Amino acid sequence: SATTRREGQDEHPLPAPSLPPPTPWAPTLPAGFTSNPVPPAPRRRWWLVPVVIAAAGVVLAGVIGLVVVVVLAVSQLGSIDEPDQPLQIGAPASPIAEEPLQCPPACFTEESIPQTVAYEGAFVELGLPDDAYPYGTYEPTTTGELFRRDASSWADNNAQPDACFFVPSSAPYASSILSADSRSPDPIYFTGTHLDAARVDGIDQAVRLFPDSESAEAYLADLADNINECTNVQFGPANDRYTATVNAASAIGTPASVASAGWIRTGVPGQRWRAYNFDLQRGNMVVRIRLLTDGTILESEFRRFVQFYAAQLGAIEPPSH
């Protein structure tokens, strides 16, 4: 049965290895997470290093100068984790690739999935070195199974509007609640979750294999339409209603055979304050990349990661049979 959904509960929805991924409203949280996590201590930023060095130098000039520097540093520290990050401005990408990859009936198969795992160095550069749930931890599931379960939770939690059904999901199994196929056998592969040392920020990936390129292209086009229609999402009981804004992500650079559609969910400042998401489509394959952050990782850093990954996706050769 569904439980009351609180901010943060949907944010690392990978289950125990033997179970299918749980609903976005009542997940089995990984070790180290709680339903109402205690905010971590403020994290230091690079600019504190010169402040400390300056403070040490002031000692030679006199105690009064040192006190002034320390007071300034403390006042700055209090605002470290206050989110003030306007979204990047720009038109969304076209959900149709410049040079779509066509190789019917299917370009890619399960044999291609290991090549979709992002390079480890890219996660390290993003500040997420902990390979918490690597590819192979979970058995594949199907889009129909995920949709049936999450559609039930969507209704139980009085979630609105239906155009935003895709917003909290961790895999590309439904572009909308109306167009989804509850009996679809398309496989979904969870290919990894990386976390930071504090297990606050995290990024996860999931891959869906469509039966052909046309159906994958239709999915992404429908998703782009729903992103444009969704500006605000809410769910939960009246006395514990969760509300977040949703914005279409501006276009990123991708290879000619890769199309993209992205969105950003912004909730209450704190852990998992923002969720940055991109679905990338090439041939009959769609990869979802989702970053959950308290603001420590910037949108620009995530976009650089996705662009790097899009180049990797564009270089995968379809298996020969």
Side-chain angles (χ1 to χ4, degrees):
S1 61
T3 61
T4 299
R5 193 273 180 205
R6 294 182 179 275
E7 171 63 359
Q9 277 188 298
D10 69 321
E11 306 304 12
H12 290 281
L14 292 177
S18 60
L19 301 176
T23 72
W25 318 125
T28 301
L29 296 171
F33 286 97
T34 61
S35 297
N36 297 287
V38 177
R43 303 185 202 180
R44 295 183 183 274
R45 295 291 193 268
W46 63 268
W47 56 262
L48 283 180
V49 175
V51 168
V52 172
I53 294 174
V58 174
V59 171
L60 300 177
V63 175
I64 295 178
L66 176 61
V67 170
V68 171
V69 172
V70 170
V71 169
L72 289 175
V74 170
S75 65
Q76 290 284 340
L77 188 63
S79 62
I80 286 177
D81 289 323
E82 293 178 5
D84 184 16
Q85 299 174 17
L87 298 176
Q88 182 160 328
I89 299 174
S94 168
I96 302 173
E98 293 181 15
E99 300 177 8
L101 181 63
Q102 301 289 340
C103 41
C107 304
F108 302 104
T109 65
E110 184 176 12
E111 182 181 338
S112 308
I113 300 302
Q115 300 177 67
T116 68
V117 178
Y119 297 120
E120 194 66 28
F123 293 111
V124 174
E125 182 180 348
L126 197 59
L128 303 171
D130 183 3
D131 189 5
Y133 301 95
Y135 170 57
T137 302
Y138 310 101
E139 292 295 324
T141 185
T142 68
T143 59
E145 181 179 2
L146 292 175
F147 173 75
R148 290 192 301 272
R149 185 196 50 217
D150 291 347
S152 176
S153 292
W154 184 263
D156 290 344
N157 284 273
N158 191 28
Q160 298 175 357
D162 284 344
C164 296
F165 180 74
F166 66 89
V167 171
S169 58
S170 59
Y173 60 83
S175 52
S176 75
I177 199 169
L178 298 177
S179 62
D181 181 359
S182 63
R183 296 170 295 178
S184 172
D186 291 0
I188 295 283
Y189 303 84
F190 288 94
T191 54
T193 295
H194 278 70
L195 307 174
D196 65 355
R199 302 181 73 85
V200 174
D201 292 356
I203 194 169
D204 51 32
Q205 292 181 270
V207 183
R208 175 179 176 179
L209 292 180
F210 289 78
D212 50 51
S213 298
E214 289 76 11
S215 54
E217 292 166 358
Y219 160 84
L220 200 70
D222 190 51
L223 175 65
D225 287 342
N226 279 280
I227 292 173
N228 290 332
E229 292 293 326
C230 177
T231 58
N232 179 282
V233 64
Q234 53 183 297
F235 41 81
N239 62 347
D240 192 23
R241 195 80 170 153
Y242 170 75
T243 300
T245 58
V246 180
N247 297 90
S250 59
I252 60 169
T254 64
S257 64
V258 177
S260 67
W263 71 96
I264 301 103
R265 188 202 68 197
T266 302
V268 178
Q271 291 198 27
R272 300 153 206 154
W273 161 59
R274 270 197 181 151
Y276 297 102
N277 309 262
F278 266 100
D279 277 14
L280 303 176
Q281 177 264 327
R282 183 168 183 252
N284 65 306
M285 181 164 56
V286 172
V287 180
R288 175 163 298 177
I289 304 176
R290 179 179 67 164
L291 170 70
L292 302 140
T293 180
D294 61 357
T296 301
I297 300 176
L298 305 178
E299 180 186 10
S300 59
E301 295 171 320
F302 175 68
R303 291 171 63 85
R304 184 168 62 246
F305 176 94
V306 176
Q307 288 186 215
F308 181 84
Y309 180 81
Q312 176 185 336
L313 188 64
I316 298 176
E317 291 291 336
S320 58
H321 296 288

